[in-house]
Amino acid sequence: MSKDVLLEIGTEEIPAHYMPNVLLQIKELAGEKFAEANISCGNICSFGTPRRIVLCISGVADKQKDIFSKNKGPSVKIAFDAAGNPTKAALGFARGQKIKVEDLVVENGYVYADVTCAGVPTQGLLPDILKNIILSLNFPKSMIWGNEDVRFVRPIRWMVALLDTDVIPFEIAHVHTGNKSRGHRFLSDGNFLISSMKEYKELMKKHFVIVDPEERKQMILEGLQKLAEEKGGTIMMDEDLLEEVTYLVEYPTVLCGNFDEAFLQLPEAAIITPMKDHQRYFPMKDKNGKLMNMFLTVRNGNAYHLETVQHGNERVLRARLDDAKFFFDEDRKTKLIDRVEDLKKIVFQDGLGTLYDKAKRLEAITVFLKNKLSIVEAEDALLVRAAQLAKTDLLTQMVAEFTELQGIMGMEYARIDGEKEEVALAINEQYLPRFAGDELPQTIMGKVLGLADKFDTIVGSFSLGLIPTGSQDPFALRRQTIGILNILMTAHWKLDCKEVFSFILNLLGVPAQKQKKIVEQLDAYFRLRLKNIFQDRGMDYHIIDCVLCADTLDASEAEQRAQALMNADIMSQTDILQAFTRVENMIKNTKITDVTPELFETAEEKKLYQACEHMQPKLSALYAVYDYDGVIAVLQEGIAVINEFLDHVLVMHENEEVKNNRLYLLALTFSLISPLGDIKKLS
């Protein structure tokens, strides 16, 4: 008969952003450990609150599955003597397999032992399994406490471990398992008994703990929406904030607070950032889309004395907004352009100069990118102005206090200073994307300044040997590299990144003899990020390798070629790939040189040359628009002619001129398909 297992690990408050991964881990670990122990079970669920990690496993078998195996022993010649009697080898093998020697089986000239390992009762195995699951959990940061040597996310205060109604006995850090849990820190009456897994969730509710995070999240959402409707507003919903709040509370109650309307004169970002990032409040907008002087927040408790909690939250926010108003008023006394000289006082990176030096590099890089990309919409003067002002908001008091506002406050102050709107938007968009899944820059100048900023940081870091390894990426170079690639691909901008690397290395004064190695490192780093992007999109790895073998590092061009090859189903065109692979194997390093028709000696040469002359202009037009379906159709026309030439013409002719001419013809033939990439990677 199957039973249920309940495990609750009670701790001090766990950081909210750890919890989703922890709950996923413990569920996966349970599945792995039970499978390894050959214990069948039903549904595995994990729940959690700030103070507990919970594992529920239903339908756990009473005992392990029996394991049947056929183990191979010595050969018959070694196992038995001439009279057919078992030798020491056979006796030793049987003894090792814990069976009688007469039970050995002879097959294919060897002896075998059919062994059955009977499963043992589950109850005796569970203490070690559950303890192993707990100690196998990984956290971004762990800690030790007291005199214990166990590392865990937070100190363990109690543990519940039950097999149906029976306690599963084990201990960790001198905390022994039992059947007593703890409710809400303030609302519960104290410890209480858990008799089984089936009653666990409902019993926790009676003690003011909503243990299921999805249920808590739904309660929070419903509470937020109800209050927002009552106040005539719309919630500025943030899914990350909602998830964080879900793991900050055990028993959620939503409340609404107010702040002085005078604060609405501040830029919205200066109000919303303290509310969301510092206080975990949800802002609201009215029907016209304007920010309201109200906020919604979630209390970890019931509605008792809710007004007192509301007033406390209002006082805290008022102090934050008072600070923001003071900083804003002080910052407005100095224009951004008047802060440029002060950038000389702040070191950007040891070895890369000051923020002023970076700003001067950005001026040069933005104009370089504009010219390389043939962008006519952006004026050089405006790009230079945006680069000059790009980092000046880092000197403001507002950004010093609320670092999340870098770029955002730069945009607001630029508008106040009367700068062009394109310049103001670029100052903000240079930092996009700020995180995985964030939006990309939308304006031309924002894209160019963002590319310049990211290229400068990455190339500068590589020039100092600060290359990310493993999980170590303190300067977020991976994110910035992915940002560059996505900006280029989304904008469909053709750019050889290696030219940008060299340009920036020259700006940095890196000696020419060192530049080649650094460019190679950057090239490999960017290609790997691009490969990962393509793999995440589900592209065939053969096609990815094919397009990434180009000498240039052009993300947009590689993306278009890879997608076109996928759409054309190039992997199914085996006759084309085989024919041109044969051609490539013949020419090796032969460069395209003018073919001399007068040296042709066979009809196959003439026919292949005529086919190339016929296909070449068609293919050039099709390649230009990435019409690879059309390319394949044209290439298909020449397959028979190519195969006839390869089957009947001796390329390595004794006459050097004839031989070379035939190699030149094959090189011309291969040029018809070479724009696709390294086709050997498609084999």
Side-chain angles (χ1 to χ4, degrees):
M1 185 176 71
S2 62
K3 296 182 178 180
D4 299 328
V5 169
L6 169 67
L7 174 66
E8 180 189 65
I9 311 158
T11 68
E12 299 292 339
E13 276 74 2
I14 301 170
H17 60 282
Y18 288 12
M19 287 300 295
N21 181 258
V22 170
L23 297 187
L24 178 63
Q25 270 193 73
I26 197 168
K27 182 178 178 179
E28 292 178 346
L29 280 168
E32 292 170 8
K33 300 301 181 184
F34 273 71
E36 288 172 7
N38 290 305
I39 301 172
S40 60
C41 61
N43 193 37
I44 302 176
C45 298
S46 58
F47 307 109
T49 75
R51 299 178 65 210
R52 68 201 75 227
I53 302 167
V54 181
L55 180 66
C56 296
I57 310 174
S58 61
V60 177
D62 278 342
K63 61 185 284 294
Q64 286 178 306
K65 298 175 185 176
D66 293 340
I67 300 174
F68 302 95
S69 62
K70 176 176 283 191
N71 301 328
K72 186 177 181 181
S75 66
V76 173
K77 293 179 180 179
I78 296 174
F80 299 99
D81 60 21
N85 297 314
T87 63
K88 289 183 178 180
L91 293 169
F93 175 65
R95 185 167 54 253
Q97 298 297 316
K98 299 181 180 178
I99 64 172
K100 297 177 180 178
V101 71
E102 54 265 27
D103 291 333
L104 292 175
V105 178
V106 176
E107 288 183 17
N108 302 319
Y110 288 88
V111 296
Y112 291 85
D114 289 329
V115 179
T116 300
C117 183
V120 301
T122 298
Q123 190 163 8
L125 301 172
L126 286 176
D128 287 339
I129 292 175
L130 296 184
K131 185 173 181 178
N132 192 261
I133 289 172
I134 295 171
L135 297 179
S136 296
L137 290 171
N138 290 315
F139 310 97
K141 288 184 180 179
S142 297
M143 62 183 295
I144 57 176
W145 58 95
N147 295 320
E148 306 299 335
D149 57 3
V150 172
R151 300 187 69 86
F152 204 66
V153 61
R154 288 294 184 269
I156 297 173
R157 296 307 185 202
W158 78 91
M159 290 190 294
V160 174
L162 297 176
L163 178 63
D164 271 359
T165 59
D166 298 329
V167 172
I168 304 169
F170 63 93
E171 65 90 18
I172 295 176
H174 294 95
V175 176
H176 294 265
T177 55
N179 58 359
K180 288 184 179 180
S181 183
R182 301 182 189 180
H184 191 281
R185 189 180 287 277
F186 307 113
L187 302 179
S188 178
D189 295 330
N191 296 353
F192 56 93
L193 292 175
I194 303 289
S195 60
S196 70
M197 186 189 85
K198 289 182 172 62
E199 68 166 16
Y200 175 72
K201 287 175 68 174
E202 290 304 316
L203 190 56
M204 295 305 294
K205 286 180 184 179
K206 292 179 181 179
H207 290 267
F208 301 95
V209 175
I210 309 300
V211 75
D212 186 344
E214 287 303 317
E215 189 176 346
R216 284 200 309 280
K217 186 176 183 179
Q218 192 58 37
M219 287 175 65
I220 293 169
L221 267 176
E222 290 174 0
L224 291 172
Q225 290 165 354
K226 181 181 178 182
L227 263 182
E229 289 174 7
E230 290 177 3
K231 302 298 181 181
T234 303
I235 308 165
M236 295 179 66
M237 186 54 67
D238 183 320
E239 291 299 325
D240 290 335
L241 176 59
L242 177 61
E243 182 176 89
E244 183 178 6
V245 170
T246 298
Y247 288 106
L248 285 173
V249 299
E250 291 195 316
Y251 193 83
T253 300
V254 179
L255 60 95
C256 180
N258 302 277
F259 58 88
D260 193 328
E261 282 191 51
F263 289 122
L264 293 177
Q265 301 304 313
L266 292 169
E268 277 195 6
I271 304 171
I272 292 171
T273 297
M275 290 171 66
K276 289 173 60 176
D277 295 353
H278 293 258
Q279 300 305 128
R280 309 302 187 263
Y281 298 163
F282 293 87
M284 286 196 295
K285 289 191 173 184
D286 61 20
K287 295 178 181 178
N288 298 318
K290 293 185 178 180
L291 189 66
M292 300 175 71
N293 64 320
M294 295 181 182
F295 63 88
L296 301 177
T297 188
V298 182
R299 177 193 188 182
N300 184 21
N302 57 16
Y304 184 67
H305 285 318
L306 204 58
E307 301 83 1
T308 304
V309 178
Q310 174 188 332
H311 295 323
N313 280 279
E314 289 172 345
R315 284 199 302 272
V316 173
L317 181 60
R318 183 166 60 248
R320 281 283 185 182
L321 295 180
D322 275 332
D323 288 344
K325 185 177 185 305
F326 172 78
F327 297 142
F328 181 68
D329 291 340
E330 288 297 305
D331 289 341
R332 290 179 61 187
K333 295 176 182 178
T334 306
K335 291 187 175 183
L336 291 182
I337 193 64
D338 295 330
R339 298 180 186 273
V340 172
E341 282 297 311
D342 290 336
L343 292 174
K344 295 178 178 178
K345 301 175 184 177
I346 302 177
V347 175
F348 165 58
Q349 172 71 40
D350 188 21
L352 299 178
T354 63
L355 284 179
Y356 182 85
D357 296 322
K358 182 176 178 67
K360 298 303 288 184
R361 289 198 300 273
L362 292 182
E363 291 178 26
I365 299 168
T366 51
V367 174
F368 173 81
L369 289 173
K370 179 214 165 182
N371 294 331
K372 277 292 176 183
L373 295 167
S374 302
I375 298 171
V376 296
E377 298 90 339
E379 299 176 18
D380 286 5
L382 290 181
L383 282 171
V384 170
R385 185 72 169 185
Q388 280 181 324
L389 303 178
K391 304 302 176 185
T392 52
D393 69 337
L394 299 179
L395 299 170
T396 64
Q397 294 189 58
M398 183 71 85
V399 174
E401 178 67 17
F402 305 110
T403 55
E404 306 92 332
L405 293 177
Q406 66 175 357
I408 298 172
M409 291 312 302
M411 174 180 66
E412 297 293 344
Y413 290 142
R415 286 170 172 165
I416 292 170
D417 293 348
E419 299 288 347
K420 295 279 189 181
E421 181 65 10
E422 305 99 293
V423 173
L425 290 173
I427 292 172
N428 177 35
E429 291 186 335
Q430 67 176 305
Y431 294 106
L432 299 178
R434 297 173 188 264
F435 51 84
D438 191 18
E439 65 178 8
L440 298 173
Q442 298 301 306
T443 67
I444 296 293
M445 283 184 50
K447 292 173 184 175
V448 174
L449 183 59
L451 288 173
D453 182 39
K454 293 173 179 62
F455 270 123
D456 179 72
T457 300
I458 296 166
V459 175
S461 297
F462 271 67
S463 72
L464 298 176
L466 302 175
I467 304 173
T469 56
S471 60
Q472 300 300 313
D473 187 15
F475 302 106
L477 300 186
R478 287 189 185 89
R479 175 176 58 78
Q480 295 188 67
T481 302
I482 292 170
I484 288 173
L485 297 171
N486 281 324
I487 290 171
L488 291 172
M489 290 188 289
T490 304
H492 304 298
W493 282 347
K494 302 292 193 299
L495 177 71
D496 186 356
C497 294
K498 292 198 285 188
E499 293 182 359
V500 187
F501 301 156
S502 297
F503 180 79
I504 296 174
L505 289 170
N506 285 327
L507 288 178
L508 291 168
V510 176
Q513 60 269 28
K514 292 184 179 180
Q515 287 193 23
K516 183 179 178 182
K517 180 180 179 182
I518 296 171
V519 169
E520 288 174 352
Q521 291 173 329
L522 285 161
D523 180 62
Y525 189 76
F526 270 64
R527 286 182 195 273
L528 181 56
R529 305 281 85 72
L530 190 56
K531 183 175 184 177
N532 292 338
I533 291 172
F534 289 165
Q535 287 177 333
D536 289 342
R537 295 182 185 180
M539 291 184 177
D540 189 293
Y541 73 92
H542 293 93
I543 290 175
I544 296 172
D545 289 343
C546 172
V547 301
L548 290 184
C549 283
D551 290 334
T552 58
L553 177 56
D554 188 328
S556 179
E557 204 271 339
E559 178 197 35
Q560 286 186 279
R561 280 197 294 130
Q563 192 58 58
L565 288 170
M566 291 285 290
N567 295 340
D569 193 18
I570 188 66
M571 297 302 296
S572 67
Q573 308 299 324
T574 53
D575 53 347
I576 292 177
L577 296 176
Q578 287 174 356
F580 280 96
T581 299
R582 290 179 68 191
V583 172
E584 185 179 14
N585 290 336
M586 291 292 296
I587 61 175
K588 294 184 179 178
N589 297 321
T590 303
K591 295 181 179 179
I592 301 176
T593 305
D594 289 339
V595 178
T596 306
E598 290 76 17
L599 293 174
F600 292 158
E601 295 182 350
T602 66
E604 289 83 2
E605 290 174 276
K606 296 174 184 177
K607 287 172 66 177
L608 180 56
Y609 183 67
Q610 290 170 355
C612 290
E613 293 274 280
H614 175 71
M615 291 189 288
Q616 204 167 36
K618 290 183 180 180
L619 290 171
S620 296
L622 293 169
Y623 279 127
V625 294
Y626 297 93
D627 181 1
Y628 286 7
D629 284 316
V631 167
I632 287 172
V634 173
L635 291 176
Q636 196 73 49
E637 298 173 9
I639 299 305
V641 179
I642 293 171
N643 287 330
E644 285 177 17
F645 177 93
L646 294 172
D647 291 341
H648 300 103
V649 176
L650 176 63
V651 175
M652 298 303 169
H653 196 279
E654 59 185 14
N655 185 314
E656 191 72 14
E657 282 190 328
V658 174
K659 181 189 78 171
N660 288 336
N661 196 54
R662 289 175 178 177
L663 288 172
Y664 298 153
L665 177 57
L666 287 176
L668 174 65
T669 304
F670 189 73
S671 71
L672 301 177
I673 199 172
S674 58
L676 293 181
D678 186 351
I679 64 167
K680 283 188 175 180
K681 301 293 184 182
L682 301 176
S683 301

